[in-house]
Each structure stands twice: as C-alpha cells, then as structure tokens.
Amino acid sequence: MKNQKPNFIEFIIVVALLMALVSVTINMFLPAFQDVSNEFQLKDKNKIQLTISLLYLGLGVSQLFYGILSDTIGRKPIIYNGLILFILGCIISYVSKDLNILLIGQTLLGIGLGAPRVMSVAIVRDKFEGRKMARAMSFIMVIYVLMPIVSPILGKSIIMISNWRILFVIYIIFSALVFLLFRYRMPETLTLDKQKSFESKHFLKATQEILTNKHTFTYILILGLYSGIFITYLNLSQAIFEFQYQLGNQYPYYFALLACSIGLASFINSKLVLGLGMKLLTKIAILNSLFSALLFFSISYFVSPSLWLFIIFMFIQLFSYGLLVGNLNALAMQPLGHIAGLGASLIGAVSTIISVPMSIFIGSFYNNTTFPIVMAYCCTGIFSILMLNFINQQFFIWKT
C-alpha cells in the first residue's frame, strides 16, 4: 500500500496519536501506584514516583539522539525504531519481579517514547512555522489531552478486573495500531533537499546556536520548569486525591475532570493565537498561573484548602499549562526551521532534563499537603516573569 498525502485533519489526527502514546502510557499507569507499591512491599511509598520520573528522563535524553539521526535519515525510520524500544520496555516492565527491574523497563519504555514525542514536533515544523505551527500544535493538543481524560479511568478499570501488568499489554496493542496508521497514512516530511549528513561540527554548531540564543533557551527553560511541576502533579495525583482527600476509587474521575482544562486551553489557543500571537498568550498564561498560586497560598495560610478549592486551583494551573506548552514550543522552534529535527530534540531533551530533577525535588517534600506544589507554582511564576522581562525588556508592555 502506498502512502497517500493526508489532508490537514488526518495529518493532525496521526501526529496527535503519536503524541498520545506518551500520554496514554503515563496516565493509565498512575492508578497502579498503590498496587505496585503493595506488590513490591515498598517501605517508602514516594519511591513509586520514580517510575514516571525515570520514564520522563529516558524520554528527554533520547530525544537528543533521535533529532540528530532524523535530520540525516528522515523522520519515519526514527519512529519505527522508537516503537520497537517502547515495546521491549513494555515486556521488561510486564515481567518485572521488583521495583528495580520495573524502573529499567520504564526507562527503556521512555527512551522508546522519545521518538514519537520529538518526531511529532519535527513533523509539524516540517509542514508549518510560526503562528501556523502554534495553531496546528494547539489542534494536536486538543486530541492529545483527550487521552488523560479517559486513560486513568480505563487504567483503573483494567486494574480492578485484572492487574496492573495487563496495562503493558494494552500499550503494545495501541503502539501497533499507531505504527500501522503512521506507516500507511503519513509520508516522509523531511524532503531530500533538507536532509543533512551527520557531522560532529554540524551538531556542535547547531547545539551552540540553540543554547546561545537567549530567546530560545529562555523559552526552553520556562517550559522545563512548568513541566517539572506538571510531572510532580502526575506523580502525586493519586496520593492527593485518593488518600489526602479520601476519594478512593473516584480518583480517576477527578483527574479526568482536571485534564479537560488542558484540552480547553489548547482549543482556545488554536482560536486566538493567529490574532493575539504566541508571546502575548504566554504572558497571560504565566500571570494567570502566578496570581492564582499566590491567592491559593494566601487562603491556605489561614484555612486548610477544601477539595473543590484545590480542584479550582489546579484547573487554573493546568489551563495555563495548556496555553504554555504549544506556544513555548513554537516560540523556541521559530528560528530553528533549518534544523527542525535537532531543534525539536534539544528543546525536548533540555526541558526534560530540567523538569525531571525538579519533579523529584518537589515530590520529596510531599507530606500529605498541597504546599510543595503551590510553592513551586509561585516560585516558577516569579522566575518566569523576571526571565521574560530580561530578554524582551517589555513583559508588562502588551505587544504581540
């Protein structure tokens, strides 16, 4: 069967499913934390957070190599090899006998996921740039975010009727379906005239270009910081909802409700970004996050925050994150069209290398209160404002 050129809607769906593989893998596993901790008899329950943090670490570091290779051999071979590693990681995780083996499987699984994650951004950049890229990324994020809405509920249901290991069988089936769709419905987007033979000097020059561009690096840094808090939220979500607020098996439904905020933000961003621009929407999202965090912190100082107060707070934070992800990626990628693959991989790698240690650091302070997450949002918001003001000298001047 020959590849046929997909229309815009089909293009968005295929790329979104590639990205969704990351979301499904992470969010279906979150309800399994307690079962895994019990089966492996973990004395320190916080250690289970490493399953997601190391997955993200493998995902982030691997993107660097995928980007380099994809600019040389194309996007599709990288996807195929990544999916093979992903399946191998699933098999190791399925047969794991202790936490250490599971962590090896999760890390390898993350390394495999790095391919669809970084290639998704590179493929979009091959086809679009600037505000059109931000618009396409927003549509992709709408579909992408549907997965966190349904996957925790599906994951919890599977665990209740079977066990947590069956989740890895589901991942393998889903990845096979994504492979077939990508194989037959997506042509190679890296044209021959843009392919580059790998040379160390080309890699070093491109890396220097990205890391010394103060605008690009600042956007990567801010993306990494907010992603670190997001990973912390994922790691702590079961503990917060199921145990701290005593929701029990209702936890996935509240998690799904909050996931809707990211989808809503992505949809709204797709409608507004062409008119308002990426910079203005980024500023609005950061200020929105910071003010709500300061308000929640002030209230929490006097009274213990109720469940619904925390839900409103996290809805605002995740909505802001939904605005930030697409726009910060597009802003960072804007000057990198000539090295889209390496650019996308460095953005993903550096932001993840920032976010994973941060998530582990924040998570280590968890003591059955939401204080660590709230303080992280406050500090990150203030730092982001200072950084944007430094590079633009006009943060409080509303220019697009």
Side-chain angles (χ1 to χ4, degrees):
M1 183 185 298
K2 294 182 178 180
N3 290 334
Q4 300 176 21
K5 185 177 180 180
N7 58 35
F8 179 77
I9 294 177
E10 189 176 8
F11 175 86
I12 294 297
I13 291 173
V14 174
V15 176
L17 287 176
L18 281 172
M19 292 187 70
L21 185 60
V22 180
S23 179
V24 167
T25 302
I26 294 170
N27 290 290
M28 281 185 68
F29 192 70
L30 294 176
F33 274 14
Q34 187 62 30
D35 293 69
V36 177
S37 297
N38 292 339
E39 181 172 330
F40 292 153
Q41 299 179 346
L42 300 182
K43 294 181 180 179
D44 183 0
K45 299 295 183 180
N46 283 339
K47 282 187 176 181
I48 194 63
Q49 297 179 30
L50 291 173
T51 57
I52 299 300
S53 295
L54 290 182
L55 185 154
Y56 267 105
L57 184 62
L59 187 152
V61 173
S62 66
Q63 290 180 55
L64 179 60
F65 304 101
Y66 290 136
I68 298 170
L69 292 173
S70 74
D71 281 341
T72 302
I73 64 176
R75 315 302 187 202
K76 298 190 77 169
I78 299 300
I79 293 288
Y80 300 152
N81 283 279
L83 291 177
I84 291 173
L85 290 175
F86 172 78
I87 292 173
L88 180 59
C90 288
I91 294 172
I92 294 174
S93 298
Y94 179 85
V95 301
S96 60
K97 299 299 182 182
D98 56 46
L99 181 62
N100 292 329
I101 300 300
L102 178 62
L103 292 179
I104 292 173
Q106 290 291 101
T107 304
L108 184 58
L109 191 148
I111 292 173
L113 285 175
R117 175 64 182 87
V118 71
M119 288 302 99
S120 298
V121 179
I123 288 169
V124 175
R125 182 60 185 86
D126 288 338
K127 302 289 291 184
F128 307 103
E129 62 179 302
R131 295 186 182 186
K132 290 185 177 179
M133 179 183 173
R135 177 172 176 265
M137 286 299 296
S138 293
F139 280 123
I140 290 169
M141 287 299 293
V142 172
I143 302 174
Y144 171 74
V145 169
L146 290 176
M147 297 304 172
I149 295 174
V150 300
S151 52
I153 299 173
L154 180 59
K156 187 68 173 180
S157 301
I158 292 172
I159 293 168
M160 291 177 67
I161 63 176
S162 183
N163 62 74
W164 60 271
R165 296 179 187 274
I166 299 300
L167 295 176
F168 297 103
V169 177
I170 304 298
Y171 298 162
I172 292 173
I173 295 173
F174 182 62
S175 64
L177 293 175
V178 171
F179 168 83
L180 292 174
L181 186 61
F182 182 76
R183 168 68 178 84
Y184 293 110
R185 297 304 304 163
M186 180 66 73
E188 176 60 61
T189 58
L190 183 69
T191 56
L192 291 175
D193 59 299
K194 291 185 178 181
Q195 288 185 358
K196 301 177 177 65
S197 58
F198 175 73
E199 298 179 7
S200 59
K201 62 180 181 180
H202 164 66
F203 168 70
L204 294 175
K205 182 179 179 181
T207 302
Q208 182 181 18
E209 177 183 348
I210 292 169
L211 297 182
T212 58
N213 184 311
K214 67 178 183 179
H215 290 83
T216 294
F217 186 75
T218 297
Y219 297 135
I220 295 172
L221 178 59
I222 294 173
L223 177 61
L225 293 175
Y226 277 102
S227 296
I229 307 176
F230 180 69
I231 297 172
T232 303
Y233 164 71
L234 293 180
N235 284 333
L236 297 179
S237 59
Q238 185 183 34
I240 291 173
F241 289 117
E242 192 165 336
F243 302 111
Q244 181 179 325
Y245 285 110
Q246 299 180 336
L247 293 177
N249 291 333
Q250 298 179 59
Y251 147 65
Y253 300 100
Y254 287 85
F255 185 90
L257 173 65
L258 287 173
C260 294
S261 61
I262 303 181
L264 178 63
S266 298
F267 177 76
I268 292 175
N269 191 71
S270 70
K271 298 297 183 180
L272 297 180
V273 69
L274 293 179
L276 297 180
M278 299 170 286
K279 290 184 179 180
L280 178 55
L281 288 170
T282 296
K283 296 171 185 177
I284 292 173
I286 291 173
L287 289 175
N288 189 45
S289 172
L290 175 59
F291 290 153
S292 63
L294 291 173
L295 179 60
F296 187 85
F297 175 77
S298 301
I299 295 173
S300 301
Y301 185 80
F302 297 101
V303 297
S304 178
S306 67
L307 169 63
W308 284 104
L309 182 61
F310 178 72
I311 287 176
I312 292 171
F313 166 72
M314 283 307 305
F315 193 94
I316 295 171
Q317 293 299 336
L318 295 178
F319 181 89
S320 301
Y321 184 68
L323 291 178
L324 287 171
V325 172
N327 289 315
L328 286 173
N329 266 296
L331 284 167
M333 284 292 293
Q334 197 165 15
L336 308 178
H338 58 296
I339 48 170
L342 180 56
S345 65
L346 271 171
I347 290 171
V350 175
S351 63
T352 304
I353 289 171
I354 293 169
S355 64
V356 170
M358 182 178 179
S359 70
I360 296 173
F361 177 74
I362 299 171
S364 67
F365 289 97
Y366 180 68
N367 58 350
N368 294 317
T369 72
T370 57
F371 181 78
I373 291 179
V374 177
M375 283 303 299
Y377 275 119
C378 290
C379 294
T380 298
I382 293 171
F383 178 79
S384 298
I385 288 175
L386 293 175
M387 289 301 298
L388 288 179
N389 192 48
F390 173 73
I391 64 171
N392 295 317
Q393 297 299 313
Q394 58 173 34
F395 186 84
F396 294 105
I397 300 175
W398 299 102
K399 294 183 179 180
T400 60

